[in-house]
Amino acid sequence: MNMMTCARPAKLTKAPVKEIEVLEKKLGVTLVAYEKVLPYKKLTPAGLTKLKAAEKESGAILVAYEA
């Protein structure tokens, strides 16, 4: 079984961090910057059903990325 890990949080300099903090305050949200996000995988209806079942069973949110 192939396992992929989610991209890790980005290592940012102070300037982008400050911009993100300002945007967080404007939007009233918490933002997380990741180094690289792979494209989402379009799942078949059967694959989507399996993903939703795994989410329900695990209590986690799953995201399908291109391998």
Side-chain angles (χ1 to χ4, degrees):
M1 177 163 119
N2 269 343
M3 299 278 299
M4 291 186 61
T5 58
C6 185
R8 60 182 153 194
K11 296 176 185 175
L12 303 173
T13 61
K14 289 182 182 182
V17 169
K18 184 65 179 167
E19 289 180 37
I20 291 169
E21 288 172 344
V22 169
L23 183 57
E24 285 178 322
K25 287 179 185 175
K26 285 182 182 176
L27 298 176
V29 299
T30 298
L31 298 171
V32 178
Y34 290 101
E35 285 188 9
K36 182 181 179 182
V37 176
L38 300 170
Y40 295 119
K41 175 71 175 176
K42 289 196 177 201
L43 297 175
T44 64
L48 189 55
T49 298
K50 289 177 183 177
L51 184 129
K52 286 182 180 183
E55 285 183 325
K56 186 175 181 179
E57 185 178 317
S58 69
I61 297 170
L62 301 174
V63 180
Y65 292 106
E66 292 285 342

CSV table of all heavy atoms in Angstrom, one decimal:
chain,number,residue,atom,x,y,z
A,1,MET,N,0.8,-1.2,0.0
A,1,MET,CA,0.0,0.0,0.0
A,1,MET,C,0.9,1.2,0.0
A,1,MET,O,1.8,1.4,0.8
A,1,MET,CB,-0.9,0.0,1.2
A,1,MET,CG,-1.8,1.2,1.4
A,1,MET,SD,-3.1,0.8,2.6
A,1,MET,CE,-2.7,2.1,3.8
A,2,ASN,N,0.7,2.2,-0.9
A,2,ASN,CA,1.4,3.4,-1.0
A,2,ASN,C,0.9,4.4,0.0
A,2,ASN,O,-0.3,4.6,0.1
A,2,ASN,CB,1.3,4.0,-2.4
A,2,ASN,CG,2.4,3.6,-3.3
A,2,ASN,OD1,3.4,3.1,-2.8
A,2,ASN,ND2,2.3,3.8,-4.6
A,3,MET,N,1.7,5.0,0.8
A,3,MET,CA,1.3,6.0,1.8
A,3,MET,C,2.0,7.3,1.4
A,3,MET,O,3.2,7.3,1.1
A,3,MET,CB,1.7,5.6,3.2
A,3,MET,CG,1.2,4.3,3.7
A,3,MET,SD,-0.5,4.5,4.4
A,3,MET,CE,-0.3,5.6,5.7
A,4,MET,N,1.2,8.3,1.4
A,4,MET,CA,1.8,9.7,1.2
A,4,MET,C,1.6,10.5,2.4
A,4,MET,O,0.6,10.4,3.1
A,4,MET,CB,1.1,10.4,0.0
A,4,MET,CG,1.4,9.7,-1.3
A,4,MET,SD,0.6,10.7,-2.7
A,4,MET,CE,1.5,12.2,-2.5
A,5,THR,N,2.5,11.4,2.7
A,5,THR,CA,2.4,12.3,3.8
A,5,THR,C,2.0,13.6,3.3
A,5,THR,O,2.3,14.0,2.2
A,5,THR,CB,3.7,12.4,4.6
A,5,THR,OG1,4.7,12.8,3.7
A,5,THR,CG2,4.1,11.0,5.2
A,6,CYS,N,1.3,14.3,4.1
A,6,CYS,CA,0.9,15.7,3.7
A,6,CYS,C,2.1,16.6,3.7
A,6,CYS,O,3.1,16.4,4.5
A,6,CYS,CB,-0.1,16.2,4.7
A,6,CYS,SG,-0.8,17.8,4.3
A,7,ALA,N,2.1,17.6,2.9
A,7,ALA,CA,3.2,18.5,2.9
A,7,ALA,C,3.4,19.2,4.3
A,7,ALA,O,2.4,19.3,5.0
A,7,ALA,CB,3.0,19.6,1.8
A,8,ARG,N,4.6,19.5,4.6
A,8,ARG,CA,4.8,20.0,6.0
A,8,ARG,C,4.6,21.6,5.9
A,8,ARG,O,4.7,22.2,4.9
A,8,ARG,CB,6.2,19.7,6.5
A,8,ARG,CG,7.3,20.2,5.6
A,8,ARG,CD,8.6,19.7,6.1
A,8,ARG,NE,9.5,19.6,5.0
A,8,ARG,CZ,10.7,19.0,5.0
A,8,ARG,NH1,11.1,18.5,6.1
A,8,ARG,NH2,11.4,19.0,4.0
A,9,PRO,N,4.4,22.2,7.1
A,9,PRO,CA,4.2,23.6,7.1
A,9,PRO,C,5.4,24.3,6.5
A,9,PRO,O,6.6,23.8,6.6
A,9,PRO,CB,4.1,23.9,8.6
A,9,PRO,CG,3.6,22.7,9.2
A,9,PRO,CD,4.2,21.5,8.4
A,10,ALA,N,5.2,25.4,5.8
A,10,ALA,CA,6.2,26.2,5.1
A,10,ALA,C,7.1,26.9,6.1
A,10,ALA,O,6.7,27.3,7.2
A,10,ALA,CB,5.6,27.2,4.2
A,11,LYS,N,8.4,27.0,5.8
A,11,LYS,CA,9.4,27.7,6.5
A,11,LYS,C,9.4,29.1,5.9
A,11,LYS,O,9.9,29.3,4.8
A,11,LYS,CB,10.7,27.1,6.5
A,11,LYS,CG,10.7,25.7,7.1
A,11,LYS,CD,12.1,25.0,7.0
A,11,LYS,CE,12.0,23.6,7.5
A,11,LYS,NZ,13.3,22.9,7.3
A,12,LEU,N,8.8,30.1,6.6
A,12,LEU,CA,8.7,31.4,6.1
A,12,LEU,C,9.6,32.4,6.8
A,12,LEU,O,9.9,32.3,8.0
A,12,LEU,CB,7.2,31.9,6.2
A,12,LEU,CG,6.2,31.0,5.5
A,12,LEU,CD1,4.8,31.5,5.8
A,12,LEU,CD2,6.4,31.0,4.0
A,13,THR,N,10.0,33.5,6.1
A,13,THR,CA,10.7,34.6,6.7
A,13,THR,C,9.7,35.5,7.4
A,13,THR,O,8.5,35.3,7.3
A,13,THR,CB,11.5,35.4,5.7
A,13,THR,OG1,10.5,35.9,4.7
A,13,THR,CG2,12.5,34.5,4.9
A,14,LYS,N,10.1,36.4,8.1
A,14,LYS,CA,9.2,37.3,8.9
A,14,LYS,C,8.2,38.1,8.1
A,14,LYS,O,7.1,38.2,8.5
A,14,LYS,CB,10.1,38.3,9.8
A,14,LYS,CG,10.8,37.6,10.9
A,14,LYS,CD,11.5,38.5,11.8
A,14,LYS,CE,12.3,37.8,12.9
A,14,LYS,NZ,13.0,38.7,13.8
A,15,ALA,N,8.6,38.5,6.9
A,15,ALA,CA,7.7,39.4,6.1
A,15,ALA,C,6.5,38.6,5.7
A,15,ALA,O,5.4,39.1,5.9
A,15,ALA,CB,8.5,39.9,4.9
A,16,PRO,N,6.6,37.4,5.1
A,16,PRO,CA,5.4,36.7,4.8
A,16,PRO,C,4.5,36.3,6.0
A,16,PRO,O,3.3,36.3,5.9
A,16,PRO,CB,5.9,35.4,4.0
A,16,PRO,CG,7.3,35.7,3.7
A,16,PRO,CD,7.8,36.7,4.6
A,17,VAL,N,5.2,36.0,7.1
A,17,VAL,CA,4.5,35.6,8.3
A,17,VAL,C,3.6,36.8,8.8
A,17,VAL,O,2.4,36.7,9.1
A,17,VAL,CB,5.4,35.2,9.4
A,17,VAL,CG1,4.7,35.1,10.8
A,17,VAL,CG2,6.1,33.9,9.1
A,18,LYS,N,4.2,38.0,8.7
A,18,LYS,CA,3.4,39.2,9.1
A,18,LYS,C,2.2,39.4,8.1
A,18,LYS,O,1.1,39.7,8.6
A,18,LYS,CB,4.4,40.5,9.0
A,18,LYS,CG,3.7,41.7,9.5
A,18,LYS,CD,3.4,41.6,11.0
A,18,LYS,CE,2.7,42.9,11.4
A,18,LYS,NZ,2.1,42.8,12.7
A,19,GLU,N,2.4,39.2,6.8
A,19,GLU,CA,1.3,39.4,5.9
A,19,GLU,C,0.2,38.3,6.2
A,19,GLU,O,-1.0,38.7,6.1
A,19,GLU,CB,1.8,39.1,4.5
A,19,GLU,CG,2.7,40.2,3.9
A,19,GLU,CD,3.2,40.0,2.5
A,19,GLU,OE1,2.4,39.4,1.7
A,19,GLU,OE2,4.3,40.3,2.2
A,20,ILE,N,0.6,37.1,6.5
A,20,ILE,CA,-0.4,36.1,6.9
A,20,ILE,C,-1.1,36.5,8.1
A,20,ILE,O,-2.3,36.3,8.2
A,20,ILE,CB,0.3,34.7,7.0
A,20,ILE,CG1,0.8,34.3,5.6
A,20,ILE,CG2,-0.6,33.7,7.6
A,20,ILE,CD1,1.7,33.1,5.6
A,21,GLU,N,-0.4,37.0,9.1
A,21,GLU,CA,-1.1,37.4,10.4
A,21,GLU,C,-2.1,38.5,10.1
A,21,GLU,O,-3.2,38.5,10.7
A,21,GLU,CB,0.0,37.8,11.4
A,21,GLU,CG,0.8,36.7,12.0
A,21,GLU,CD,2.0,37.2,12.8
A,21,GLU,OE1,2.4,38.4,12.8
A,21,GLU,OE2,2.5,36.3,13.6
A,22,VAL,N,-1.7,39.5,9.3
A,22,VAL,CA,-2.7,40.5,8.9
A,22,VAL,C,-3.9,40.0,8.3
A,22,VAL,O,-5.0,40.3,8.6
A,22,VAL,CB,-2.0,41.6,8.1
A,22,VAL,CG1,-3.0,42.6,7.5
A,22,VAL,CG2,-0.9,42.3,8.9
A,23,LEU,N,-3.7,39.0,7.3
A,23,LEU,CA,-4.8,38.4,6.6
A,23,LEU,C,-5.7,37.6,7.6
A,23,LEU,O,-6.9,37.6,7.5
A,23,LEU,CB,-4.3,37.5,5.5
A,23,LEU,CG,-5.3,36.9,4.6
A,23,LEU,CD1,-6.3,37.9,4.0
A,23,LEU,CD2,-4.6,36.0,3.5
A,24,GLU,N,-5.1,36.9,8.5
A,24,GLU,CA,-5.8,36.2,9.5
A,24,GLU,C,-6.8,37.1,10.3
A,24,GLU,O,-7.9,36.8,10.5
A,24,GLU,CB,-4.9,35.4,10.5
A,24,GLU,CG,-4.2,34.2,10.0
A,24,GLU,CD,-3.3,33.6,10.9
A,24,GLU,OE1,-2.6,34.3,11.7
A,24,GLU,OE2,-3.2,32.4,10.9
A,25,LYS,N,-6.2,38.2,10.7
A,25,LYS,CA,-7.1,39.2,11.5
A,25,LYS,C,-8.2,39.7,10.6
A,25,LYS,O,-9.3,39.9,11.1
A,25,LYS,CB,-6.2,40.3,12.0
A,25,LYS,CG,-5.3,39.9,13.1
A,25,LYS,CD,-4.4,41.0,13.6
A,25,LYS,CE,-3.5,40.5,14.7
A,25,LYS,NZ,-2.5,41.5,15.2
A,26,LYS,N,-7.9,40.0,9.3
A,26,LYS,CA,-8.9,40.6,8.4
A,26,LYS,C,-10.0,39.5,8.2
A,26,LYS,O,-11.2,39.9,8.2
A,26,LYS,CB,-8.3,40.9,7.1
A,26,LYS,CG,-7.6,42.2,7.1
A,26,LYS,CD,-7.1,42.5,5.7
A,26,LYS,CE,-6.2,43.8,5.7
A,26,LYS,NZ,-5.6,44.0,4.3
A,27,LEU,N,-9.7,38.3,8.1
A,27,LEU,CA,-10.6,37.2,7.7
A,27,LEU,C,-11.2,36.6,9.0
A,27,LEU,O,-12.3,35.9,8.9
A,27,LEU,CB,-10.0,36.1,6.9
A,27,LEU,CG,-9.5,36.6,5.5
A,27,LEU,CD1,-8.7,35.4,4.8
A,27,LEU,CD2,-10.6,37.1,4.7
A,28,GLY,N,-10.6,36.8,10.1
A,28,GLY,CA,-11.1,36.1,11.4
A,28,GLY,C,-10.9,34.6,11.4
A,28,GLY,O,-11.7,33.9,11.8
A,29,VAL,N,-9.8,34.2,10.8
A,29,VAL,CA,-9.5,32.7,10.7
A,29,VAL,C,-8.0,32.5,11.1
A,29,VAL,O,-7.2,33.4,11.2
A,29,VAL,CB,-9.7,32.2,9.2
A,29,VAL,CG1,-11.1,32.4,8.8
A,29,VAL,CG2,-8.7,32.9,8.2
A,30,THR,N,-7.7,31.2,11.2
A,30,THR,CA,-6.3,30.8,11.4
A,30,THR,C,-5.9,30.2,10.1
A,30,THR,O,-6.6,29.3,9.5
A,30,THR,CB,-6.2,29.7,12.5
A,30,THR,OG1,-6.7,30.3,13.7
A,30,THR,CG2,-4.8,29.2,12.7
A,31,LEU,N,-4.8,30.6,9.5
A,31,LEU,CA,-4.3,30.1,8.3
A,31,LEU,C,-3.0,29.3,8.5
A,31,LEU,O,-2.3,29.5,9.5
A,31,LEU,CB,-3.9,31.3,7.3
A,31,LEU,CG,-5.1,32.2,6.9
A,31,LEU,CD1,-4.5,33.4,6.2
A,31,LEU,CD2,-6.0,31.4,6.1
A,32,VAL,N,-2.8,28.2,7.7
A,32,VAL,CA,-1.6,27.4,7.8
A,32,VAL,C,-1.0,27.4,6.4
A,32,VAL,O,-1.6,27.1,5.4
A,32,VAL,CB,-2.0,26.0,8.2
A,32,VAL,CG1,-0.7,25.1,8.2
A,32,VAL,CG2,-2.7,25.9,9.5
A,33,ALA,N,0.3,27.7,6.3
A,33,ALA,CA,1.0,27.8,5.1
A,33,ALA,C,1.8,26.4,4.9
A,33,ALA,O,2.6,26.1,5.8
A,33,ALA,CB,2.0,28.9,5.0
A,34,TYR,N,1.6,25.8,3.8
A,34,TYR,CA,2.3,24.5,3.5
A,34,TYR,C,3.4,24.8,2.4
A,34,TYR,O,3.2,25.6,1.6
A,34,TYR,CB,1.4,23.4,3.1
A,34,TYR,CG,0.5,23.0,4.2
A,34,TYR,CD1,-0.8,23.4,4.3
A,34,TYR,CD2,1.0,22.1,5.1
A,34,TYR,CE1,-1.6,23.0,5.3
A,34,TYR,CE2,0.1,21.6,6.2
A,34,TYR,CZ,-1.2,22.1,6.3
A,34,TYR,OH,-2.0,21.7,7.3
A,35,GLU,N,4.4,24.0,2.4
A,35,GLU,CA,5.5,24.1,1.5
A,35,GLU,C,5.0,23.9,0.0
A,35,GLU,O,5.3,24.6,-0.9
A,35,GLU,CB,6.7,23.2,1.8
A,35,GLU,CG,7.5,23.7,3.0
A,35,GLU,CD,8.7,22.8,3.2
A,35,GLU,OE1,9.1,22.0,2.3
A,35,GLU,OE2,9.4,23.0,4.2
A,36,LYS,N,4.3,22.8,-0.1
A,36,LYS,CA,3.9,22.4,-1.5
A,36,LYS,C,2.6,21.6,-1.4
A,36,LYS,O,2.6,20.7,-0.5
A,36,LYS,CB,4.9,21.6,-2.2
A,36,LYS,CG,4.6,21.3,-3.6
A,36,LYS,CD,5.7,20.4,-4.3
A,36,LYS,CE,5.2,20.1,-5.7
A,36,LYS,NZ,6.2,19.3,-6.4
A,37,VAL,N,1.6,21.9,-2.1
A,37,VAL,CA,0.4,21.1,-2.1
A,37,VAL,C,0.3,20.4,-3.5
A,37,VAL,O,0.4,21.0,-4.5
A,37,VAL,CB,-0.8,22.0,-1.9
A,37,VAL,CG1,-2.1,21.1,-2.0
A,37,VAL,CG2,-0.7,22.6,-0.6
A,38,LEU,N,0.2,19.1,-3.4
A,38,LEU,CA,0.0,18.3,-4.6
A,38,LEU,C,-1.4,18.5,-5.2
A,38,LEU,O,-2.3,18.8,-4.4
A,38,LEU,CB,0.2,16.8,-4.3
A,38,LEU,CG,1.6,16.4,-3.7
A,38,LEU,CD1,1.6,15.0,-3.2
A,38,LEU,CD2,2.7,16.7,-4.8
A,39,PRO,N,-1.6,18.3,-6.5
A,39,PRO,CA,-2.9,18.4,-7.0
A,39,PRO,C,-3.9,17.4,-6.4
A,39,PRO,O,-3.5,16.3,-6.2
A,39,PRO,CB,-2.8,18.2,-8.5
A,39,PRO,CG,-1.3,17.9,-8.8
A,39,PRO,CD,-0.6,17.9,-7.5
A,40,TYR,N,-5.1,17.8,-6.2
A,40,TYR,CA,-6.1,16.9,-5.8
A,40,TYR,C,-6.4,15.8,-6.8
A,40,TYR,O,-6.3,16.0,-8.0
A,40,TYR,CB,-7.5,17.6,-5.5
A,40,TYR,CG,-7.4,18.6,-4.3
A,40,TYR,CD1,-7.6,19.9,-4.6
A,40,TYR,CD2,-7.0,18.2,-3.1
A,40,TYR,CE1,-7.6,20.8,-3.5
A,40,TYR,CE2,-7.0,19.1,-2.0
A,40,TYR,CZ,-7.2,20.4,-2.3
A,40,TYR,OH,-7.2,21.3,-1.3
A,41,LYS,N,-6.7,14.6,-6.3
A,41,LYS,CA,-7.0,13.5,-7.2
A,41,LYS,C,-8.6,13.4,-7.4
A,41,LYS,O,-9.3,13.5,-6.4
A,41,LYS,CB,-6.6,12.2,-6.6
A,41,LYS,CG,-6.9,10.9,-7.3
A,41,LYS,CD,-6.2,10.8,-8.6
A,41,LYS,CE,-6.5,9.4,-9.2
A,41,LYS,NZ,-5.8,9.3,-10.5
A,42,LYS,N,-9.0,13.4,-8.6
A,42,LYS,CA,-10.4,13.2,-8.9
A,42,LYS,C,-10.7,11.7,-8.7
A,42,LYS,O,-10.2,10.8,-9.4
A,42,LYS,CB,-10.8,13.6,-10.3
A,42,LYS,CG,-10.7,15.1,-10.5
A,42,LYS,CD,-11.4,15.5,-11.8
A,42,LYS,CE,-11.4,17.1,-11.8
A,42,LYS,NZ,-12.4,17.6,-12.7
A,43,LEU,N,-11.6,11.4,-7.8
A,43,LEU,CA,-11.9,10.1,-7.5
A,43,LEU,C,-13.2,9.6,-8.2
A,43,LEU,O,-14.0,10.4,-8.6
A,43,LEU,CB,-12.2,9.9,-6.0
A,43,LEU,CG,-11.1,10.2,-5.0
A,43,LEU,CD1,-11.5,10.2,-3.6
A,43,LEU,CD2,-9.9,9.3,-5.2
A,44,THR,N,-13.2,8.3,-8.5
A,44,THR,CA,-14.4,7.7,-9.1
A,44,THR,C,-15.5,7.7,-8.0
A,44,THR,O,-15.2,7.9,-6.8
A,44,THR,CB,-14.1,6.3,-9.5
A,44,THR,OG1,-13.8,5.5,-8.3
A,44,THR,CG2,-13.0,6.2,-10.5
A,45,PRO,N,-16.7,7.5,-8.4
A,45,PRO,CA,-17.8,7.5,-7.4
A,45,PRO,C,-17.5,6.4,-6.3
A,45,PRO,O,-17.7,6.6,-5.1
A,45,PRO,CB,-19.0,7.2,-8.2
A,45,PRO,CG,-18.8,7.8,-9.5
A,45,PRO,CD,-17.3,7.6,-9.8
A,46,ALA,N,-17.0,5.2,-6.8
A,46,ALA,CA,-16.7,4.1,-5.9
A,46,ALA,C,-15.5,4.5,-4.9
A,46,ALA,O,-15.6,4.3,-3.7
A,46,ALA,CB,-16.3,2.9,-6.6
A,47,GLY,N,-14.5,5.2,-5.5
A,47,GLY,CA,-13.4,5.7,-4.6
A,47,GLY,C,-13.9,6.7,-3.6
A,47,GLY,O,-13.4,6.7,-2.4
A,48,LEU,N,-14.8,7.6,-4.0
A,48,LEU,CA,-15.3,8.6,-3.1
A,48,LEU,C,-16.1,8.0,-2.0
A,48,LEU,O,-16.0,8.4,-0.8
A,48,LEU,CB,-16.1,9.6,-3.9
A,48,LEU,CG,-16.6,10.8,-3.1
A,48,LEU,CD1,-15.4,11.6,-2.5
A,48,LEU,CD2,-17.4,11.8,-4.1
A,49,THR,N,-16.9,7.0,-2.3
A,49,THR,CA,-17.6,6.2,-1.3
A,49,THR,C,-16.7,5.6,-0.3
A,49,THR,O,-16.9,5.7,0.9
A,49,THR,CB,-18.5,5.2,-2.0
A,49,THR,OG1,-19.4,5.8,-2.9
A,49,THR,CG2,-19.3,4.3,-1.0
A,50,LYS,N,-15.6,5.0,-0.8
A,50,LYS,CA,-14.6,4.4,0.1
A,50,LYS,C,-14.0,5.4,1.0
A,50,LYS,O,-13.8,5.2,2.2
A,50,LYS,CB,-13.6,3.6,-0.6
A,50,LYS,CG,-14.1,2.3,-1.3
A,50,LYS,CD,-13.0,1.7,-2.1
A,50,LYS,CE,-13.6,0.4,-2.8
A,50,LYS,NZ,-12.6,-0.2,-3.7
A,51,LEU,N,-13.6,6.6,0.5
A,51,LEU,CA,-13.0,7.7,1.2
A,51,LEU,C,-13.9,8.2,2.3
A,51,LEU,O,-13.5,8.3,3.5
A,51,LEU,CB,-12.6,8.8,0.3
A,51,LEU,CG,-11.9,9.9,1.0
A,51,LEU,CD1,-10.6,10.3,0.2
A,51,LEU,CD2,-12.7,11.2,1.1
A,52,LYS,N,-15.2,8.4,2.0
A,52,LYS,CA,-16.2,8.8,3.0
A,52,LYS,C,-16.4,7.8,4.1
A,52,LYS,O,-16.5,8.2,5.2
A,52,LYS,CB,-17.5,9.2,2.3
A,52,LYS,CG,-17.5,10.4,1.5
A,52,LYS,CD,-18.8,10.8,0.8
A,52,LYS,CE,-18.7,12.0,0.0
A,52,LYS,NZ,-20.0,12.4,-0.6
A,53,ALA,N,-16.4,6.5,3.7
A,53,ALA,CA,-16.5,5.5,4.7
A,53,ALA,C,-15.3,5.5,5.7
A,53,ALA,O,-15.5,5.4,6.9
A,53,ALA,CB,-16.7,4.1,4.1
A,54,ALA,N,-14.1,5.7,5.1
A,54,ALA,CA,-12.9,5.7,5.9
A,54,ALA,C,-12.9,7.0,6.9
A,54,ALA,O,-12.5,6.9,8.0
A,54,ALA,CB,-11.7,5.7,5.1
A,55,GLU,N,-13.4,8.1,6.3
A,55,GLU,CA,-13.6,9.3,7.2
A,55,GLU,C,-14.5,9.0,8.4
A,55,GLU,O,-14.2,9.4,9.5
A,55,GLU,CB,-14.1,10.5,6.4
A,55,GLU,CG,-13.1,11.1,5.4
A,55,GLU,CD,-13.6,12.3,4.7
A,55,GLU,OE1,-14.8,12.3,4.3
A,55,GLU,OE2,-12.8,13.2,4.5
A,56,LYS,N,-15.6,8.4,8.1
A,56,LYS,CA,-16.6,8.2,9.1
A,56,LYS,C,-16.0,7.2,10.1
A,56,LYS,O,-16.2,7.4,11.3
A,56,LYS,CB,-17.9,7.6,8.5
A,56,LYS,CG,-19.0,7.4,9.4
A,56,LYS,CD,-20.3,6.9,8.7
A,56,LYS,CE,-21.4,6.8,9.8
A,56,LYS,NZ,-22.6,6.3,9.1
A,57,GLU,N,-15.4,6.2,9.7
A,57,GLU,CA,-14.8,5.2,10.6
A,57,GLU,C,-13.7,5.8,11.5
A,57,GLU,O,-13.6,5.5,12.7
A,57,GLU,CB,-14.2,4.0,9.8
A,57,GLU,CG,-13.7,2.9,10.7
A,57,GLU,CD,-13.3,1.7,9.9
A,57,GLU,OE1,-14.0,1.3,9.0
A,57,GLU,OE2,-12.2,1.2,10.2
A,58,SER,N,-12.8,6.6,10.9
A,58,SER,CA,-11.7,7.2,11.6
A,58,SER,C,-11.9,8.5,12.3
A,58,SER,O,-11.2,8.8,13.2
A,58,SER,CB,-10.5,7.4,10.6
A,58,SER,OG,-10.9,8.5,9.7
A,59,GLY,N,-13.0,9.2,11.9
A,59,GLY,CA,-13.3,10.5,12.5
A,59,GLY,C,-12.3,11.6,12.0
A,59,GLY,O,-12.3,12.6,12.6
A,60,ALA,N,-11.6,11.3,11.0
A,60,ALA,CA,-10.6,12.2,10.4
A,60,ALA,C,-11.1,12.7,9.0
A,60,ALA,O,-12.0,12.1,8.4
A,60,ALA,CB,-9.3,11.5,10.2
A,61,ILE,N,-10.6,13.8,8.6
A,61,ILE,CA,-10.8,14.3,7.3
A,61,ILE,C,-9.7,13.8,6.4
A,61,ILE,O,-8.6,14.1,6.7
A,61,ILE,CB,-10.9,15.9,7.3
A,61,ILE,CG1,-12.1,16.4,8.1
A,61,ILE,CG2,-11.0,16.4,5.9
A,61,ILE,CD1,-12.1,17.8,8.4
A,62,LEU,N,-10.1,13.2,5.3
A,62,LEU,CA,-9.1,12.7,4.3
A,62,LEU,C,-9.1,13.5,3.1
A,62,LEU,O,-10.2,13.9,2.6
A,62,LEU,CB,-9.4,11.2,4.0
A,62,LEU,CG,-9.4,10.3,5.2
A,62,LEU,CD1,-9.9,8.9,4.8
A,62,LEU,CD2,-8.1,10.2,5.8
A,63,VAL,N,-8.0,13.8,2.5
A,63,VAL,CA,-7.8,14.5,1.3
A,63,VAL,C,-7.0,13.6,0.3
A,63,VAL,O,-6.0,13.1,0.6
A,63,VAL,CB,-7.1,15.8,1.5
A,63,VAL,CG1,-6.9,16.6,0.2
A,63,VAL,CG2,-7.8,16.7,2.5
A,64,ALA,N,-7.6,13.4,-0.9
A,64,ALA,CA,-6.9,12.6,-1.9
A,64,ALA,C,-6.1,13.5,-2.8
A,64,ALA,O,-6.6,14.4,-3.5
A,64,ALA,CB,-8.0,11.8,-2.7
A,65,TYR,N,-4.8,13.2,-2.9
A,65,TYR,CA,-3.8,13.9,-3.8
A,65,TYR,C,-3.4,13.0,-4.9
A,65,TYR,O,-3.3,11.8,-4.7
A,65,TYR,CB,-2.6,14.4,-3.0
A,65,TYR,CG,-2.9,15.5,-2.0
A,65,TYR,CD1,-3.0,15.2,-0.6
A,65,TYR,CD2,-3.2,16.8,-2.4
A,65,TYR,CE1,-3.2,16.2,0.3
A,65,TYR,CE2,-3.4,17.8,-1.5
A,65,TYR,CZ,-3.5,17.5,-0.1
A,65,TYR,OH,-3.7,18.5,0.8
A,66,GLU,N,-2.9,13.6,-6.0
A,66,GLU,CA,-2.3,12.8,-7.0
A,66,GLU,C,-1.0,12.2,-6.5
A,66,GLU,O,-0.3,12.8,-5.7
A,66,GLU,CB,-1.9,13.7,-8.2
A,66,GLU,CG,-3.0,14.3,-9.0
A,66,GLU,CD,-3.7,13.3,-9.9
A,66,GLU,OE1,-3.2,12.2,-10.2
A,66,GLU,OE2,-4.9,13.6,-10.3
A,67,ALA,N,-0.8,10.9,-6.8
A,67,ALA,CA,0.4,10.2,-6.3
A,67,ALA,C,1.6,10.5,-7.2
A,67,ALA,O,1.5,10.8,-8.4
A,67,ALA,CB,0.1,8.7,-6.3
